[in-house]
């Protein structure tokens, strides 16, 4: 991996295991961890191929797999990917840097119907790679497929920069919401969920 991600540079060495433990605890407590997956499920055909880009512990991809979709999850953190495989067998989980994503080389040449980047993925990629990340993800999505991205608006990545990077990656903005449960977008929202489409 060429550039260390902010996940590595901005957190301590024990952060990944803390994150794994946190989501295991939330799941054990019955927390709703599938909101992003419900939105994606409503946007794709049955048995779609979905790329969970920046999959973390696998909660979004696992929920999509449970809904009948074929899921490939990718994350740069091997601790998180290992936890995803232990906790959520079924999807394929891979360690890879999104800025250098080449799933054909990993035996996944078929394009995806959709990609999802949940959990502030774009705020954790290496500084200056945001446009490259969106371009590499878009390259794995079929024409007319969607890329859905959610991140906090206070995380240092301005929406105006994100929008410019998305256009440069060949994606078209279709919708923006303030939450994964589709609350209307407003300029003072502290979170943005953006639906992008790769033109046909």
């Amino acid at each position: 991996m060429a550039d260390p991600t902010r996940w590595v540079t901005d957190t301590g060495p024990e952060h990944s295991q803390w994150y794994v433990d946190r989501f295991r605890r939330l799941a054990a407590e019955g927390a709703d961890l599938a909101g992003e997956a419900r939105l994606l499920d409503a946007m794709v055909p049955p048995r779609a191929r979905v790329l969970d880009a920046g999959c973390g512990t696998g909660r979004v991809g696992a929920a999509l797999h449970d809904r009948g979709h074929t899921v490939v999850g990718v994350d740069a953190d091997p601790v998180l990917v290992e936890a995803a495989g232990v906790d959520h067998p079924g999807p394929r989980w891979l360690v890879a840097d999104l800025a250098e994503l080449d799933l054909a080389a990993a035996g996944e040449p078929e394009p995806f119907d959709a990609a999802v980047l949940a959990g502030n993925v774009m705020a954790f990629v290496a500084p200056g790679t945001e446009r490259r990340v969106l371009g590499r993800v878009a390259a794995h999505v079929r024409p007319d497929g969607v890329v859905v991205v959610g991140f906090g608006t206070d995380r240092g990545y301005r929406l105006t920069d994100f929008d410019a990077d998305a256009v440069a990656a060949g994606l078209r903005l279709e919708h923006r919401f303030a939450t994964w449960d589709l609350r209307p977008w407003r300029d003072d929202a502290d979170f943005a969920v953006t639906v992008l489409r790769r033109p046909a």
Side-chain angles (χ1 to χ4, degrees), residues 35-83:
E36 300 99 328
R38 284 194 297 274
L39 175 58
L40 257 290
D41 184 48
M43 299 177 69
V44 296
R47 296 175 300 282
R49 277 180 57 81
V50 180
L51 172 60
D52 186 359
C55 63
T57 59
R59 63 183 178 81
V60 176
L64 288 163
H65 177 264
D66 290 346
R67 286 164 168 77
H69 303 296
T70 298
V71 176
V72 176
V74 177
D75 201 285
D77 188 329
V79 173
L80 302 187
V81 171
E82 180 182 3

Side-chain angles (χ1 to χ4, degrees), residues 4 27 29 53 67 75 103-104 132 136 148 150 154 161 165 179 184 190 200:
E29 293 170 352
R67 286 164 168 77
D75 201 285
L103 290 178
R132 203 158 73 234
R136 292 311 308 146
V148 185
D154 59 349
D161 294 334
D165 290 342
T179 62
D190 61 4

Side-chain angles (χ1 to χ4, degrees), residues 36 39-40 43 114-118 146-150 180 193-196:
E36 300 99 328
L39 175 58
L40 257 290
M43 299 177 69
V116 58
L117 295 88
V146 293
V147 177
V148 185
V149 184
W180 287 98
V193 176
T194 304
V195 179
L196 305 163

Side-chain angles (χ1 to χ4, degrees), residues 7 11-29 33 55-59 75-88:
W7 182 263
T11 65
E14 65 289 328
H15 183 72
S16 296
Q17 189 58 53
W18 171 86
Y19 192 79
V20 169
D21 295 341
R22 174 183 179 227
F23 278 99
R24 285 177 174 163
R25 184 181 69 254
L26 288 170
E29 293 170 352
L33 301 177
C55 63
T57 59
R59 63 183 178 81
D75 201 285
D77 188 329
V79 173
L80 302 187
V81 171
E82 180 182 3
V86 169
D87 295 347
H88 307 293

